[in-house]
C-alpha cells in the first residue's frame, strides 16, 4: 500500500491497487484498492489441501470466493506460521498451479480494461509466479518489491526452504527491476538467491507525517514505549525483561511501559505470559496497552512515551516504525542488527547496541532515559531528517526514477 500511495504522488502517473487473496482492510487502506479480489484465498487453499477439489468447477470457486466468505476469512487471518503452507508457498512462487490460467486471464482482462498498463508492480517475491504468466500475455514491464520475504521462507523446514529460494531465483528472470528499501536487504536477497542483483534498486521507504501533531510537553513519570506488533518475533519479552530490570533494581523506579501495535491470535499465549511476568513483580499498574493504534490513539501513545524500542529477534530489512517514531520527535533504541544501523545512521534519531542481549538493551535504555539532553537531541535530529529526507514525497521520487529506467 505504501508503494501505491507513493507513486500516486507523482504528477501524470495513474495507478490502481489490485487486491489478491483477500479484500483489503478498508480501515487501513481507505479506498486505495479496487473492489474486485483475484485468486481468492479460500479456493486456492482448498485446491491445495483437498485433492478432489483441485479441479473444482468455476461455479464452486466463485461461490467460495464470494465477498461474504472472503470477508470472513479476512477476519480470521493473521497467522505467521508456515507449517502446512509449504507446498502452497512453492506453488505461488512457481505460479502454474496456484495461479490458474482462467483466473490469470480474468486478471489480464481487468488490467487492460482501462488501457494496457506500462508497469505492473508486484508486492513481494512470494508471488513471483505471476510475473511469467502476466508477461506472456501483456507487453508490460514487471517491477517487484523486496522486503522480509526471508521472515516466511526461512521459517520453512528443509527441503522447502532451499527449494523456495531456488525457485525465487529462477522466476526472477521475468522481473525487470526489483525495489528494496535497504542495502542490507539487497545483500541478503542476493546471498539467498545467488543472483547478481544488478537490477535491484534501493529506494528507502518514506513516511507520511501529515497526520501527526507536535508532542505536548506534560509532566509525568519517565516512560518506555513499544511500537509494533506485540510478538515473540519482535522481542516484546526482551523489552519486558529490560523494563522489569530497570524497576526492580531501583534504577528508574517510577518507569512506565506503554505498548501500542496490536497482535494476532497466535500471539495471545505469548502476551499472557508477559503480563503474568509483570504481575509477578507487582508492576502491572505501570503498564498500559493502547488498543487504538490508529489516528488519535497513536497520537496519545506518542505523547505518553520518551523513547521507543522494538528489540526484534529476526534481523529486520527496514523498520518503518523507526521513521514514524522519529517523525514524532521520539528517539529509538534498537539492536545493531539487520538494517537498523543503516537506517538510524541516516536519521540520527537513536542509538544501537551490541551484543543483542537484554543486559545491553537495559543499559542502553538507562543511558537514554537518564539523559534528557541526549533524548531531545536524538529526537530532533530524527524528526528533521525523516521529514526532509525520508518523506513519502522523497520515496515517490525514488520510485518514479526506477519506473523511468524502464
Amino acid at each position: 500500500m505504501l508503494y501505491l500511495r507513493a507513486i500516486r504522488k507523482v504528477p501524470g502517473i495513474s495507478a490502481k491497487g489490485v487486491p489478491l487473496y483477500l479484500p483489503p482492510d478498508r480501515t487501513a487502506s481507505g479506498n486505495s484498492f479496487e473492489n474486485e479480489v483475484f485468486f481468492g484465498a479460500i479456493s486456492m487453499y482448498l485446491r491445495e489441501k483437498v485433492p478432489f477439489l483441485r479441479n473444482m468447477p468455476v461455479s464452486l470457486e466463485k461461490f467460495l470466493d464470494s465477498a461474504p466468505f472472503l470477508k470472513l476469512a479476512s477476519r480470521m487471518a493473521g497467522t505467521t506460521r508456515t507449517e502446512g503452507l509449504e507446498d502452497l508457498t512453492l506453488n505461488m512462487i512457481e505460479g502454474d498451479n496456484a495461479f490458474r490460467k482462467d483466473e490469470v486471464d480474468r486478471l489480464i482482462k481487468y488490467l487492460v480494461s482501462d488501457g494496457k498498463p506500462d508497469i505492473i508492480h508486484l508486492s513481494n517475491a512470494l508471488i513471483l509466479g505471476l510475473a511469467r504468466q502476466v508477461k506472456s500475455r501483456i507487453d508490460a514491464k514487471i517491477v517487484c518489491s523486496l522486503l522480509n520475504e526471508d521472515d516466511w521462507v526461512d521459517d520453512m523446514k528443509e527441503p522447502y526452504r532451499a527449494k523456495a529460494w531456488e525457485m525465487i531465483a529462477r522466476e526472477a528472470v521475468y522481473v525487470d527491476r526489483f525495489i528494496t528499501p535497504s542495502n542490507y536487504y539487497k545483500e541478503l536477497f542476493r546471498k539467498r538467491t545467488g543472483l547478481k542483483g544488478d537490477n535491484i534498486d534501493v529506494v528507502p521507504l518514506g513516511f507520511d507525517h501529515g497526520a501527526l501533531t507536535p508532542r505536548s510537553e506534560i509532566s509525568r513519570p519517565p516512560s518506555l514505549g513499544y511500537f509494533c506488533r506485540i510478538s515473540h518475533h519482535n522481542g516484546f519479552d526482551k523489552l519486558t525483561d529490560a523494563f522489569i530490570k530497570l524497576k526492580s533494581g531501583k534504577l528508574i523506579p517510577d518507569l512506565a511501559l506503554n505498548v501500542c501495535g496490536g497482535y494476532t491470535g497466535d500471539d495471545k499465549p505469548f502476551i499472557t505470559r508477559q503480563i503474568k511476568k509483570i504481575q509477578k513483580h507487582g508492576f502491572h499498574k505501570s503498564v498500559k496497552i493502547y488498543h487504538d493504534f490508529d489516528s488519535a490513539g497513536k497520537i496519545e501513545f506518542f505523547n505518553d512515551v520518551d523513547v521507543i524500542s522494538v528489540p526484534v529477534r529476526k534481523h529486520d530489512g527496514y523498520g518503518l516504525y523507526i521513521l514514524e517514531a522519529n517523525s514524532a520527535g521520539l528517539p529509538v533504541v534498537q539492536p545493531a542488527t539487520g538494517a537498523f544501523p543503516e537506517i538510524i545512521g541516516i536519521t540520527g534519531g537513536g542509538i544501537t547496541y551490541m551484543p543483542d542481549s537484554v543486559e545491553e538493551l537495559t543499559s542502553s535504555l538507562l543511558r537514554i532515559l537518564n539523559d534528557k539532553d541526549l533524548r531531545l537531541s536524538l529526537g530532533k535530529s530524527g524528526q528533521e531528517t525523516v521529514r526532509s529526507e525520508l518523506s513519502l514525497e522523497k520515496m515517490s521520487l525514488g520510485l518514479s526514477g526506477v519506473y523511468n529506467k524502464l
Side-chain angles (χ1 to χ4, degrees):
M1 185 177 72
L2 192 58
Y3 284 99
L4 183 61
R5 290 173 58 200
I7 201 58
R8 282 178 171 172
K9 283 185 172 288
V10 180
I13 290 183
S14 62
K16 60 183 179 182
V18 180
L20 306 183
Y21 315 132
L22 295 168
D25 179 2
R26 295 297 180 187
T27 60
S29 64
N31 294 318
S32 298
F33 284 87
E34 304 296 300
N35 292 321
E36 194 162 356
V37 180
F38 293 85
F39 310 110
I42 297 175
S43 63
M44 181 179 284
Y45 180 82
L46 290 177
R47 280 200 306 269
E48 181 66 40
K49 293 297 181 182
V50 184
F52 73 86
L53 289 178
R54 285 178 184 165
N55 294 309
M56 71 174 72
V58 174
S59 58
L60 178 58
E61 181 177 345
K62 288 183 177 179
F63 174 74
L64 292 172
D65 291 332
S66 60
F69 284 118
L70 286 180
K71 287 180 180 178
L72 177 62
S74 182
R75 286 197 293 270
M76 297 171 64
T79 183
T80 55
R81 288 176 280 112
T82 60
E83 186 177 358
L85 299 174
E86 295 91 347
D87 287 321
L88 181 57
T89 299
L90 296 182
N91 282 338
M92 288 165 57
I93 296 172
E94 191 269 341
D96 288 339
N97 292 322
F99 304 121
R100 298 202 307 176
K101 179 182 181 302
D102 58 343
E103 187 69 352
V104 175
D105 290 341
R106 188 172 76 90
L107 173 63
I108 298 302
K109 183 178 180 180
Y110 184 81
L111 291 176
V112 300
S113 60
D114 296 326
K116 183 183 74 68
D118 298 299
I119 291 173
I120 295 172
H121 192 144
L122 303 180
S123 61
N124 63 82
L126 297 181
I127 58 172
L128 272 183
L130 272 178
R132 172 163 45 89
Q133 299 218 28
V134 169
K135 227 173 170 53
S136 67
R137 292 167 169 84
I138 302 181
D139 180 21
K141 300 296 184 180
I142 304 292
V143 173
C144 179
S145 301
L146 300 175
L147 181 60
N148 293 341
E149 286 87 356
D150 58 312
D151 285 353
W152 184 266
V153 176
D154 288 351
D155 192 48
M156 297 166 65
K157 296 179 180 179
E158 294 292 9
Y160 295 103
R161 184 190 310 145
K163 184 67 173 177
W165 286 118
E166 177 188 326
M167 292 173 70
I168 287 174
R170 187 167 66 241
E171 296 298 322
V173 299
Y174 300 100
V175 175
D176 295 284
R177 305 297 301 186
F178 288 99
I179 294 177
T180 189
S182 66
N183 286 292
Y184 162 79
Y185 199 74
K186 176 180 178 177
E187 291 307 308
L188 183 145
F189 187 77
R190 289 179 63 247
K191 187 179 297 183
R192 292 286 197 277
T193 60
L195 297 171
K196 290 183 178 180
D198 48 7
N199 66 335
I200 303 177
D201 294 285
V202 176
V203 177
L205 297 182
F207 176 67
D208 186 359
H209 55 78
L212 290 180
T213 58
R215 298 178 66 228
S216 57
E217 294 295 329
I218 55 176
S219 179
R220 53 165 173 72
S223 178
L224 171 61
Y226 176 91
F227 183 50
C228 198
R229 176 186 151 198
I230 310 170
S231 69
H232 179 268
H233 173 94
N234 290 327
F236 178 63
D237 57 319
K238 294 199 291 182
L239 192 66
T240 297
D241 290 343
F243 167 70
I244 291 172
K245 282 179 176 290
L246 290 169
K247 287 184 72 75
S248 298
K250 306 296 184 182
L251 299 172
I252 310 179
D254 55 347
L255 181 66
L257 173 61
N258 292 322
V259 182
C260 181
Y263 51 87
T264 71
D266 283 353
D267 301 319
K268 287 182 180 180
F270 164 78
I271 296 171
T272 298
R273 292 195 297 272
Q274 306 317 305
I275 293 174
K276 287 181 177 179
K277 185 166 56 179
I278 293 169
Q279 289 174 334
K280 180 180 178 181
H281 286 83
F283 298 147
H284 54 282
K285 291 184 179 179
S286 298
V287 178
K288 180 178 179 180
I289 296 180
Y290 294 70
H291 296 286
D292 176 14
F293 46 92
D294 290 318
S295 58
K298 189 185 296 183
I299 293 172
E300 179 189 359
F301 168 77
F302 285 149
N303 277 318
D304 287 347
V305 299
D306 298 301
V307 60
I308 284 176
S309 181
V310 184
V312 299
R313 283 186 164 78
K314 175 70 173 60
H315 294 184
D316 204 325
Y318 203 75
L320 192 60
Y321 44 82
I322 292 177
L323 304 192
E324 195 159 359
N326 282 172
S327 186
L330 287 165
V332 298
V333 174
Q334 294 296 119
T337 59
F340 293 150
E342 180 181 344
I343 305 306
I344 294 174
I346 295 172
T347 68
I351 59 175
T352 59
Y353 61 88
M354 280 298 281
D356 182 8
S357 65
V358 171
E359 290 72 22
E360 199 63 33
L361 169 61
T362 304
S363 176
S364 299
L365 290 171
L366 179 63
R367 172 191 167 199
I368 199 168
L369 285 166
N370 279 340
D371 192 336
K372 183 178 180 180
D373 290 339
L374 176 62
R375 288 201 313 273
L376 292 177
S377 174
L378 292 174
K380 181 181 179 181
S381 174
Q383 186 174 59
E384 291 176 350
T385 304
V386 168
R387 296 193 174 201
S388 63
E389 301 301 323
L390 294 172
S391 64
L392 196 62
E393 287 76 13
K394 286 279 187 177
M395 180 183 173
S396 71
L397 289 175
L399 192 55
S400 63
V402 175
Y403 285 179
N404 286 331
K405 289 180 182 179
L406 301 176

